[in-house]
Amino acid sequence: MCVADLTEGRKIMMYQNNAMKHILASHKAVTVSELALPLKNIMDGGFTFIDGMCFFKHMAGNVSKDGDMALIKSRFGDCSGFENSINRIHVDFYIEEEIIPQALALFDYMPHLWRGLNMPPAALVLGINISPEFGEQAHLSFYLSRVGEEVVDWQNIDSYQSAIMLRLV
């Protein structure tokens, strides 16, 4: 399902599968002012560009400045797949309570921050799992939008079993 969001005069496209719709029906985001400090610090720490790819500064230590593009493409498929892998915040690693509301707030906070920095178009991905064994788990990731390098197939978003939401910013 596609949802158009007119935020700050700019159309934002958002896609979510049926599993995510069920989660959204029973969970609401906390306000940005209630966003857990460890999560807000990652966002507010900013972004950095390395070899034409963009990363959270907090995560950039996991990236070699002499990136071997052949190795990246063999392991991750392309630059977007690599960015999405490195730029993954596992919300449940940073907090123990209100994981889903915090993840939703993070998903709402990043586009405002991103646009305020006049960054290039990107795809923001939120994935949520709820299991009896592990409880609530959520991760947020992003990658720059590049032609032919889609990590999440938004046209077939309902084919994903886990709850997933994609926002193009």
Side-chain angles (χ1 to χ4, degrees):
M1 173 181 158
C2 174
V3 178
D5 176 17
L6 285 172
T7 306
E8 298 171 9
R10 184 171 161 189
K11 190 173 184 178
I12 309 268
M13 299 305 294
M14 190 164 58
Y15 304 88
Q16 54 193 241
N17 66 1
N18 287 324
M20 182 61 80
K21 286 180 212 167
H22 292 295
I23 289 174
L24 294 175
S26 60
H27 293 82
K28 300 293 177 215
V30 297
T31 64
V32 171
S33 64
E34 297 171 304
L35 189 59
L37 194 56
L39 300 173
K40 192 166 185 324
N41 286 344
I42 294 171
M43 291 290 175
D44 292 345
F47 306 90
T48 188
F49 286 86
I50 301 171
D51 292 335
M53 295 176 280
C54 186
F55 304 97
F56 288 118
K57 281 186 182 174
H58 179 80
M59 311 283 188
N62 298 327
V63 180
S64 167
K65 297 214 186 296
D66 303 331
D68 180 352
M69 293 310 290
L71 180 62
I72 288 171
K73 288 184 179 186
S74 72
R75 289 194 178 159
F76 299 96
D78 54 37
C79 293
S80 294
F82 183 60
E83 283 171 332
N84 192 63
S85 176
I86 298 295
N87 292 317
R88 186 173 301 245
I89 300 170
H90 292 271
V91 176
D92 46 297
F93 289 4
Y94 294 91
I95 60 172
E96 294 180 10
E97 296 177 3
E98 292 192 313
I99 291 168
I100 293 174
Q102 288 283 328
L104 293 170
L106 199 59
F107 190 73
D108 289 341
Y109 181 54
M110 187 171 168
H112 298 286
L113 185 64
W114 190 260
R115 287 189 307 273
L117 296 171
N118 200 27
M119 299 293 274
L124 180 60
V125 182
L126 178 65
I128 296 175
N129 290 308
I130 303 172
S131 76
E133 186 176 355
F134 299 109
E136 295 179 353
Q137 299 172 312
H139 66 270
L140 175 122
S141 60
F142 82 92
Y143 57 93
L144 295 182
S145 296
R146 296 179 181 89
V147 175
E149 291 190 24
E150 294 302 322
V151 176
V152 175
D153 182 3
W154 58 269
Q155 293 177 326
N156 294 304
I157 200 155
D158 279 321
S159 67
Y160 294 89
Q161 290 181 343
S162 296
I164 189 168
M165 188 161 41
L166 172 76
R167 182 178 278 156
L168 304 176
V169 295

